[in-house]
Amino acid sequence: MIVPMKKVSVVVLNSERKKSLKKLRKMGLMHLETVEGKGPVLAAYKEALAVTEKAIGVLDEIKVSKKNIPVPVELSFAEADSRAREIVALSDRKKSLLDSISQNTQELERLSKWGTVDPEDFKYLAEKGIYMYMYEIPVEKYLTIGEDSKTMVVNSVGKIARFLLLSENEVTERPADLPPEAFAVPMPEKSTDEFVEAIKKAQEEISSIEKTLLDCKKYRNGIGTLKSNLQTDIEFETVFSGMERESSVEDENPKAVEQETVESALEAEKAETEDKSGKLAWVTGYVPESSMEDFAAACKMNEWAFAASDPSEDDPVPTKLHNNKLVSIIYPLTDFLDVTPGYREFDISGWFLFFFCIFFAMIFADAGYGALIELVGLVLLVKSKSGKRSLPVLVTILGACTMVYGVLTCSWFGIEASKLPAWMVDISCTPISQSKLAKLGVENASDVANTNQKIFCFILALIQLTIAHVKCFIADRKSLKCFGDLGSLLQLWGMFYVVMNMVVDGTRFPLLDTGNPIPILGGAVVLPSSMPLIAIGVLLFGFVLSFIFSNYEGSIGKSILESCKNIISVLLGVVNVFSDIVSYIRLWAVALAGAAISGTVNTMAGPMFGKMFLVIFAVVLLVFGHGLNMILNLLSVIVHGVRLNTLEFSQHLGMTWSGTKYHPFQETENAREVNVRNLGKNAKTGTDD
């Protein structure tokens, strides 16, 4: 369920603003509305964090063997900041040197065919009245140079001739008798020997920098600690500097604030604490309704004033989910996907978990893969700490579900049914097991099993989307809009039969009454012969209800008018119902692709087991092939299995997943305040902050 929230505003004395915020943070109950922090202190923290993150990135790029992992060195915050800046400076210097090497190398390559080139030699000759300019030209065009231009061939390599243009005067314009194919070679800034020397020195300096950075790996933990504490300080300073308050310095003199330094800001903060004028400051946020008693008691104890009210429609209320331990195991997945329902949307955590387990099992669709996943889950469960077992439990359940579905379809690592024990075939489910159908002598067992699996996908779609519309109907039960939800539900049921006709088999599922009963899933379910007429009637009646009531806001006439205005969208809505049901066929398609890969891997590896020296290669091929297939299946789960919950199912619920997760303003474990005065100083040693 989504925990009800109260919107709360807390009012404190401006002189006690910092002290009060620290107490509020220690309380850990209030999710604060977003505020825009400002000031030099916050800027200093953010700048230090950026440097720290860059330093950590540099250190993490340096790979060392497990035997050579350096012993971590404890650092004060001032030392960690200094080391981080030193690392960033070294990294920037290394990049600059690499750029320099690249540029110098390009110059050497450009001049490589000219031999040794020194601009000073050209300058010396120019002082003596001999001006020389370097040119290149295709060999066959060299003889076309006019007699007025004095030239000297340097060399001819390949199809290019290199020559010097000689003159007694400085040439400022291109000689007219030079053919257009001749192009001037720009004079380098320094000699080729100097380029070589510069590259050598840069490489030596880079080598020295890399050794220094490798040695700095021992500071990684200390810099990481600084980073986590800076993040906490930034969060606090953002709230502290962004709090609304009575006639602050910013209001009186905004330009002075722009020119403020860290020292002046800290002095102003100190002066605020000594101010006895009784000015107020306040902050607004949200507190769970169930925690309001504790919150009120804390406010009374700290002598804070507060006002609480129900959030309005426009308020950015955070979403806090509260479910039982079983349903809560889905949270690691939703956190990974970063999806949170809006405060006024549905909490579908339970349904998400239920259907996700089914989708996962149908996509992997192999009992052997399920057994491996189950084993991984059990190992994680044994190694996990108490209170952090949601993910291991989820993996274990997913493995069990995959095993069950694999058993029902008689899928074991893609092994052919003829090579499996007879009992594995016997315990599989007849309608969806190709092996069981073949054993019973059913013709085209593969096609029959695939068709039944498609039908199962569509039945699953019908069940899940029906749940969505029932939830909407219950939510709108006090309004005539619920008839619009009922209409959408009827459209879904009617469209289900249309999908069976158009996608599965138009002969088996006709759109006219043929007088013959209609079997589904091998006769497990039998529909009456009049089902086509019933389905179409239900579809049309549902469309009418939806057309009249789906936009109801107190007036049926206005609702119908709104539907008329959006007639194209209304008609497309019917098509969307069709496409949403058909979308579930992806479960069968992905599973079929996975089974094909498994079978191909087995076919490739099978013949190798007949030769002793190829057995190892066969085992490697099986491990690699099935491992790759499992990875592809996992990606398919994320792409397809998650999509059916967060898109198709959610669209029928009217959910947009636009919520903000409840994140109370609270203390971070073992966090300490970083002294902003020590940031940016070149401190090699220092005391703890």
Side-chain angles (χ1 to χ4, degrees):
M1 60 171 271
I2 295 177
V3 177
M5 290 281 176
K6 288 287 187 181
K7 184 175 183 179
V8 176
S9 293
V10 178
V11 182
V12 301
L13 288 173
N14 190 42
S15 58
E16 297 183 359
R17 184 160 47 106
K18 193 163 194 172
K19 191 195 311 183
S20 298
L21 273 183
K22 288 182 177 180
K23 291 179 180 178
L24 189 65
R25 183 173 64 176
K26 191 172 184 179
M27 195 188 306
L29 292 175
M30 191 172 177
H31 176 106
L32 302 180
E33 284 190 343
T34 303
V35 294
E36 186 178 344
K38 50 191 175 293
V41 174
L42 180 60
Y45 279 136
K46 287 183 175 180
E47 186 267 342
L49 178 63
V51 171
T52 302
E53 288 177 336
K54 188 173 181 180
I56 290 174
V58 171
L59 295 180
D60 286 347
E61 287 178 359
I62 302 172
K63 305 300 179 184
V64 295
S65 63
K66 292 183 178 180
K67 294 181 180 179
N68 297 323
I69 294 177
V71 178
V73 175
E74 291 187 8
L75 299 172
S76 68
F77 289 153
E79 290 172 329
D81 178 68
S82 176
R83 293 297 182 186
R85 293 174 190 277
E86 178 185 343
I87 290 166
V88 170
L90 288 171
S91 175
D92 291 343
R93 175 59 181 164
K94 179 182 174 181
K95 289 178 182 177
S96 175
L97 290 170
L98 289 172
D99 289 341
S100 173
I101 289 174
S102 176
Q103 293 172 4
N104 291 341
T105 302
Q106 288 178 2
E107 282 292 276
L108 284 177
E109 289 176 354
R110 182 173 70 86
L111 301 168
S112 61
K113 304 298 183 183
W114 285 87
T116 301
V117 178
D118 189 344
E120 294 299 323
D121 292 341
F122 286 81
K123 288 182 181 178
Y124 175 78
L125 291 173
E127 291 173 358
K128 301 297 182 181
I130 303 174
Y131 294 90
M132 293 191 300
Y133 303 92
M134 298 186 295
Y135 277 85
E136 292 182 358
I137 191 172
V139 172
E140 65 274 11
K141 295 291 182 179
Y142 179 73
L143 296 177
T144 63
I145 298 175
E147 295 181 357
D148 293 339
S149 295
K150 297 179 181 179
T151 62
M152 178 189 298
V153 177
V154 176
N155 62 44
S156 180
V157 180
K159 297 181 179 180
I160 301 297
R162 291 161 190 83
F163 66 91
L164 293 172
L165 177 66
L166 307 177
S167 175
E168 295 178 356
N169 301 303
E170 184 177 1
V171 177
T172 56
E173 295 182 0
R174 180 186 177 91
D177 58 347
L178 277 183
E181 291 82 2
F183 59 92
V185 177
M187 185 66 61
E189 294 181 358
K190 50 190 174 184
S191 70
T192 50
D193 290 340
E194 288 176 316
F195 282 129
V196 172
E197 185 63 23
I199 291 173
K200 182 181 177 182
K201 287 183 179 179
Q203 289 172 337
E204 290 174 352
E205 188 175 351
I206 287 174
S207 178
S208 174
I209 289 173
E210 288 176 344
K211 289 180 181 178
T212 304
L213 289 175
L214 179 61
D215 184 61
C216 288
K217 284 281 285 185
K218 61 188 177 185
Y219 305 129
R220 170 63 176 81
N221 290 352
I223 296 174
T225 302
L226 172 63
K227 174 188 171 182
S228 60
N229 283 276
L230 281 171
Q231 289 172 329
T232 302
D233 289 339
I234 286 172
E235 181 186 29
F236 183 88
E237 185 62 30
T238 299
V239 178
F240 175 72
S241 60
M243 280 182 72
E244 294 185 69
R245 51 196 189 273
E246 289 184 296
S247 61
S248 60
V249 176
E250 288 89 338
D251 299 323
E252 296 169 3
N253 191 358
K255 290 185 178 180
V257 176
E258 292 177 6
Q259 301 171 358
E260 213 176 12
T261 64
V262 170
E263 286 296 335
S264 62
L266 293 175
E267 288 298 323
E269 180 187 318
K270 183 179 178 181
E272 270 188 357
T273 60
E274 298 172 355
D275 184 13
K276 303 300 180 182
S277 62
K279 292 179 180 177
L280 303 176
W282 56 92
V283 66
T284 302
Y286 303 89
V287 176
E289 206 171 89
S290 56
S291 302
M292 279 304 297
E293 247 185 76
D294 295 337
F295 182 78
C299 288
K300 183 177 181 181
M301 184 177 67
N302 290 297
E303 298 182 336
W304 300 335
F306 78 93
S309 62
D310 292 327
S312 68
E313 288 288 335
D314 298 328
D315 285 329
V317 190
T319 303
K320 181 181 181 182
L321 301 178
H322 178 71
N323 289 291
N324 57 47
K325 290 184 178 180
L326 176 61
V327 174
S328 298
I329 65 173
I330 196 64
Y331 291 166
L333 177 63
T334 53
D335 289 344
F336 170 75
L337 297 171
D338 193 23
V339 290
T340 305
Y343 178 69
R344 292 176 177 83
E345 295 181 343
F346 295 103
D347 175 18
I348 60 169
S349 300
W351 293 116
F352 195 116
L353 174 63
F354 177 73
F355 285 106
F356 179 76
C357 289
I358 296 175
F359 299 156
F360 187 98
M362 292 179 69
I363 288 173
F364 272 83
D366 191 291
Y369 289 176
L372 293 177
I373 296 169
E374 180 78 5
L375 181 61
V376 171
L378 292 174
V379 171
L380 292 174
L381 197 58
V382 170
K383 291 187 175 183
S384 62
K385 297 179 181 179
S386 179
K388 295 184 178 180
R389 292 181 174 171
S390 294
L391 181 59
V393 172
L394 177 61
V395 173
T396 304
I397 291 176
L398 293 174
C401 292
T402 305
M403 287 180 65
V404 170
Y405 190 78
V407 168
L408 294 177
T409 56
C410 196
S411 300
W412 297 83
F413 291 113
I415 300 172
E416 295 178 10
S418 59
K419 298 177 182 179
L420 292 173
W423 63 269
M424 287 186 175
V425 177
D426 293 338
I427 63 174
S428 61
C429 181
T430 302
I432 60 175
S433 171
Q434 174 186 337
S435 307
K436 187 75 169 288
L437 290 170
K439 188 174 182 179
L440 295 173
V442 177
E443 294 184 8
N444 300 319
S446 176
D447 292 339
V448 173
N450 283 332
T451 298
N452 288 335
Q453 287 179 23
K454 291 179 189 176
I455 294 173
F456 179 69
C457 290
F458 297 143
I459 291 174
L460 198 58
L462 182 65
I463 294 171
Q464 187 177 28
L465 300 182
T466 294
I467 291 170
H469 290 294
V470 169
K471 288 179 73 69
C472 290
F473 180 86
I474 294 172
D476 295 330
R477 64 188 181 278
K478 296 181 180 180
S479 167
L480 290 180
K481 191 175 183 178
C482 68
F483 288 106
D485 299 320
L486 178 61
S488 298
L489 179 59
L490 294 177
Q491 286 184 73
L492 173 69
W493 289 347
M495 191 60 74
F496 171 77
Y497 187 84
V498 175
V499 169
M500 300 290 278
N501 170 268
M502 299 182 69
V503 180
V504 179
D505 191 335
T507 304
R508 285 176 58 191
F509 303 98
L511 290 178
L512 296 174
D513 188 348
T514 61
N516 299 317
I518 303 169
I520 296 180
L521 293 177
V525 178
V526 179
L527 303 176
S529 62
S530 58
M531 180 53 66
L533 299 179
I534 295 173
I536 294 174
V538 167
L539 176 61
L540 293 175
F541 182 60
F543 176 80
V544 172
L545 283 178
S546 180
F547 189 87
I548 295 172
F549 295 104
S550 61
N551 297 302
Y552 181 79
E553 294 292 344
S555 171
I556 294 178
K558 289 182 179 179
S559 178
I560 296 174
L561 182 61
E562 191 66 28
S563 295
C564 291
K565 288 179 181 177
N566 301 294
I567 188 63
I568 302 298
S569 299
V570 172
L571 294 175
L572 287 176
V574 180
V575 178
N576 286 339
V577 175
F578 176 88
S579 64
D580 287 345
I581 297 174
V582 173
S583 186
Y584 282 71
I585 203 173
R586 68 183 66 236
L587 300 171
W588 165 79
V590 174
L592 190 65
I597 294 174
S598 297
T600 302
V601 172
N602 293 340
T603 302
M604 293 171 63
M608 295 184 186
F609 283 99
K611 299 178 182 179
M612 184 64 70
F613 66 93
L614 290 178
V615 170
I616 295 177
F617 293 102
V619 172
V620 171
L621 177 59
L622 286 173
V623 172
F624 175 78
H626 286 290
L628 178 61
N629 194 23
M630 290 186 71
I631 292 172
L632 292 174
N633 283 340
L634 184 60
L635 293 175
S636 297
V637 167
I638 295 173
V639 173
H640 302 294
V642 170
R643 172 205 162 104
L644 292 175
N645 275 311
T646 57
L647 188 61
E648 278 80 3
F649 184 42
S650 298
Q651 279 184 345
H652 285 254
L653 284 165
M655 291 180 62
T656 59
W657 296 98
S658 57
T660 301
K661 190 174 181 180
Y662 171 70
H663 179 71
F665 185 54
Q666 60 185 350
E667 285 186 330
T668 304
E669 189 177 356
N670 299 323
R672 293 179 293 137
E673 185 178 354
V674 179
N675 188 341
V676 71
R677 288 187 173 92
N678 290 339
L679 298 177
K681 294 184 177 180
N682 189 23
K684 296 294 182 184
T685 60
T687 58
D688 289 339
D689 299 273

